[in-house]
Amino acid sequence: ADLSTSIAGVKLPNLLLNASGVNCRYENELQQLLDSSAGSLVTKSATLNSRDGNPEPRYAPLAGQIGSINSMGLPNQGYEYYLEYAKKFDYNNGKPLFISLAGMSLADNKAMCEAFRDANLPCVLEINFSCPNLPGKPQLGYDMEAMEAALKVLAPIIGKPFGIKLPPYFDIAHFDQAAAIFNKFDNIAYVTCINSVGNGLAIDWESETALIKPKDGFGGLGGLMVLQTSLANVNAFYRRLNNGKQVIACGGVTSGKEAFLHILAGASAVQIGTQLQEEGTGVFERVSKELQEIMAAKGYKNVEEFRGKVKTL
Ligand SMILES: C=Cc1c(C(=O)O)[nH]c(=O)[nH]c1=O
């Protein structure tokens, strides 16, 4: 079965890729993604300057393989590292490159977007409005006015198709408000739903202790336990975005089954985070095979035949 897809003007030979933040901070990790069955790769969200991030332990899988909690604190090499990587990248290798940016301020995001614009590269920018783990910094994704104001500055600078990484929303009114904002910007090509479910608290019952150190143990939740929230966000934006804007799914993909469900909900591509962290890059081969088996069993030759076709009662 054909798992290829096109997003923001670039073609992915396989609609599976990593979630930003996982296995993508350093060049060697990015090379591992290129060498895997993933159809593309996205870099760790970059800030103006490099960051060490929060104190460890800052990531933990949850018992029973139900998911993960993280409060990494945006550790990254600084945007120039990823800009240099994007300049050296072989755009004829068959897999497109996505670059994630998460400026600590609008000025930082503006400076980083200007630098990528000036470099005039084929990579696709994904602006991350949804990091939940910066102490004292509320995430832009939950401030509609600030998000629109930022887009009014950044969209014209980027000047070509780009994407936005969104937090999960839980109120229908917020789906309506956010989609209405995105529909105002012609070059928003896609949204990636969802980032981790912010500020969960994982506690070990034997030691009576939080699993991670930063923020009294508060961190973003990922993995299978966020699947239904992710499916809802994918479908909500699939139903609301117009002019060909697409949705990349992220959240709860541990097998071909969840990837299939995300496509049914409307996803054009599917990102894998927690399961990639736990299993390694072999996850892309496994999930691709499982998805193709499901499609064959159901008689689907390509994903367009069932994308967004979730039935309601
Ligand atoms: C960019 C920071 C993020 C982080 C982080 O670096 O703490 N963790 C997430 O789950 N999502 C983010 O967007």
Side-chain angles (χ1 to χ4, degrees), residues 32-33 51 83 102 111 128 138-139 167 179 191 194 256 258 265 271 275:
Q32 288 166 1
L33 295 173
R51 290 172 54 90
L83 178 56
N128 182 354
Q139 50 175 299
V191 295
I194 59 176
E258 294 83 29
Q271 295 183 348
Q275 194 60 35

Side-chain angles (χ1 to χ4, degrees), residues 271-289:
Q271 295 183 348
I272 302 178
T274 298
Q275 194 60 35
L276 169 59
Q277 179 63 41
E278 294 303 309
E279 183 173 338
T281 56
V283 68
F284 295 111
E285 172 95 32
R286 177 176 65 83
V287 173
S288 296
K289 278 205 178 94

Side-chain angles (χ1 to χ4, degrees), residues 44-45 70-75 102 128 130-133 195-196:
K44 168 67 185 175
S45 294
N70 92 82
S71 189
M72 308 302 285
L74 242 180
N128 182 354
S130 46
C131 179
N133 300 323
N195 207 318
S196 52

Side-chain angles (χ1 to χ4, degrees), residues 284-298:
F284 295 111
E285 172 95 32
R286 177 176 65 83
V287 173
S288 296
K289 278 205 178 94
E290 291 168 352
L291 175 55
Q292 290 180 314
E293 284 159 7
I294 291 168
M295 287 170 67
K298 288 168 171 280

